[in-house]
Amino acid sequence: MEIGSLDTPVATVDLDAVERNIARMQGYCDEHGLAFRPHIKTHKLPAVAHMQVRAGAVGITCQKLGEAEVMEAAGLRDILLSFPLVGAAKAERLAALAGEATVSVVGDSEHVARGLSDALAQAGAGVDFLVECDTGFGRTGVQSPEAAAELAELADGLPGLRFAGLMTYPTLPESGPWLRAAREAIEARGLRVERVSAGGTPTHLINHLVGEVTEVRAGTYVYGDRSCIANGSVPLEDCALRIRATVVSRPTPDRAILDSGSKTLTNDPAEEASGGGHGLIVEYPEARIYTLSEEHGHVDVSACSPRPDVGEVVTIVPNHACGCTNMHDEVVVHRAGHVVGTWAVAARGKLR
Ligand SMILES: Cc1ncc(COP(=O)(O)O)c(C=O)c1O
């Protein structure tokens, strides 16, 4: 079967492109002696996580505990949870997970460390604890190297937790000096920083240059998307995740309507630098998906020649692959357009 005969809208994944992307990122990490721990939030597919580990990844990263539970059940054995786990319900689930796999967690507060420790100690389980550091992005993370050292010492003294190192997102040029100051402050307290985990696809090529980083986490690289094309991290031909959509209406000469709206593509807007709109229509690069209803994609085709007809199927590279995958129960996997399988997006919707 060819992808051309699939009903739409449908999410397709080009397995050859996935393999190229995995080989390229793993090759970069191997070349620079960096451990690679891909973030599975992009694909949410156990089969792709296994491909990444077979290619040399030391383990995987999950944002949510629910994603990690799916991956563990599918046989992934070394998991970093890169999102702060707050509350007794999650701490208990973490303790159960830690009984089945090698698990590490991040935290930027005493609250998180103590909450996890209580549940882990009760279950007789243990995890490695990485102090999350805000090295410039302005999201989660302790705000100074001294605060990182304080939390490292506290966590290391709590039952069920072992301080193992530092974590930051994304890798920025200023991350290196920040992380060095944190490592020195921690070593001054007699602790060892075994691991410094950093990452993000757009800046992945600076991980070996900034200093301190020992482990890279990238996620979006595996599929690529319109933002990756714009920032130069993945070329169009390696954008593996695409949405096939049908033109269902041509109400005016300048407007086409697709059967793919925000429930198919997500509402993630593109920066103007990458052309604006809600995705790249590969066959009509001049077209602009200027707005989305839930099930309708509104396309300005005034700059296209020729223009698409009703019934025509087009291929869309989404603005943001990770949000897009999360909209789909399954992806149709192909090589050069020949369908090789339909894979359940097993970790989609695992928000807790
Ligand atoms: C904590 C963390 N690590 C790694 C990543 C992977 O980044 P990217 O998808 O840009 O590769 C993300 C992305 O949001 C993240 O939040």
Side-chain angles (χ1 to χ4, degrees):
M1 188 184 188
E2 302 297 306
I3 54 172
S5 52
L6 296 169
D7 197 9
T8 69
V10 61
T12 63
V13 170
D14 177 344
L15 213 46
D16 294 324
V18 165
E19 286 172 355
R20 287 194 296 276
N21 294 336
I22 290 174
R24 192 168 54 242
M25 186 64 75
Q26 188 65 52
Y28 162 77
C29 291
D30 290 348
E31 185 187 341
H32 297 288
L34 297 163
F36 184 44
R37 185 179 287 279
H39 209 309
I40 62 80
K41 77 194 171 71
T42 305
H43 55 72
K44 300 176 188 288
L45 296 167
V48 173
H50 280 295
M51 286 166 67
Q52 291 169 312
V53 170
R54 276 198 302 274
V58 294
I60 60 168
T61 309
C62 296
Q63 207 77 317
K64 295 301 184 80
L65 202 43
E67 295 173 339
E69 287 164 346
V70 167
M71 292 293 152
E72 187 282 321
L76 278 304
R77 285 285 161 259
D78 190 328
I79 303 174
L80 167 66
L81 280 150
S82 60
F83 191 89
L85 299 174
V86 174
K90 290 194 177 67
E92 280 163 27
R93 284 165 61 203
L94 174 73
L97 187 71
E100 304 296 328
T102 301
V103 178
S104 42
V105 298
V106 306
D108 64 359
S109 68
E110 184 174 341
H111 184 106
V112 166
R114 288 198 187 279
L116 298 182
S117 167
D118 288 347
L120 288 161
Q122 219 163 18
V127 301
D128 279 357
F129 185 88
L130 305 183
V131 174
E132 181 168 3
C133 303
D134 179 2
T135 61
F137 187 48
R139 196 170 67 176
T140 38
V142 294
Q143 294 297 301
S144 70
E146 197 43 44
E150 264 169 41
L151 185 55
E153 194 170 16
L154 176 112
D156 203 56
L158 293 175
L161 298 183
R162 189 186 76 95
F163 170 72
L166 303 172
M167 173 271 193
T168 194
Y169 172 82
T171 312
L172 300 169
E174 57 268 39
S175 302
W178 203 114
L179 294 165
R180 185 177 331 112
R183 177 176 54 74
E184 287 169 0
I186 290 165
E187 285 171 354
R189 292 173 186 241
L191 291 171
R192 237 164 54 79
V193 178
E194 290 169 12
R195 183 171 152 200
V196 179
S197 180
T201 297
T203 59
H204 74 271
L205 289 174
I206 67 168
N207 277 297
H208 69 291
L209 297 173
V210 299
E212 301 298 323
V213 175
T214 66
E215 175 181 286
V216 174
R217 306 180 318 276
T220 310
Y221 83 98
V222 76
Y223 278 169
D225 58 20
R226 197 148 166 250
S227 71
C228 292
I229 298 172
N231 65 40
S233 56
V234 182
L236 171 61
E237 61 273 21
D238 290 343
C239 285
L241 174 73
R242 301 187 180 201
I243 301 298
R244 292 179 60 77
T246 299
V247 177
V248 293
S249 174
R250 284 295 319 280
T252 74
D254 288 348
R255 190 189 318 149
I257 299 294
L258 302 174
D259 61 358
S260 298
S262 60
K263 285 181 173 169
T264 302
L265 294 168
T266 77
N267 254 322
D268 277 328
E271 287 147 25
E272 280 311 310
S274 52
H278 294 274
L280 169 70
I281 302 182
V282 177
E283 296 84 356
Y284 295 95
E286 302 84 11
R288 182 182 159 95
I289 307 175
Y290 60 92
T291 196
L292 298 174
S293 307
E294 285 178 47
E295 304 296 359
H296 303 70
H298 306 222
V299 189
D300 177 356
V301 292
S302 58
C304 304
S305 174
R307 299 176 181 190
D309 292 325
V310 172
E312 204 170 320
V313 175
V314 296
T315 314
I316 302 166
V317 175
N319 285 347
H320 183 200
C322 314
C324 185
T325 331
N326 198 45
M327 310 302 274
H328 296 267
D329 281 339
E330 57 193 26
V331 288
V332 175
V333 181
H334 68 95
R335 290 190 189 275
H338 305 297
V339 173
V340 296
T342 300
W343 293 354
V345 185
R348 76 163 288 221
K350 302 295 181 196
L351 303 178
R352 282 189 293 276

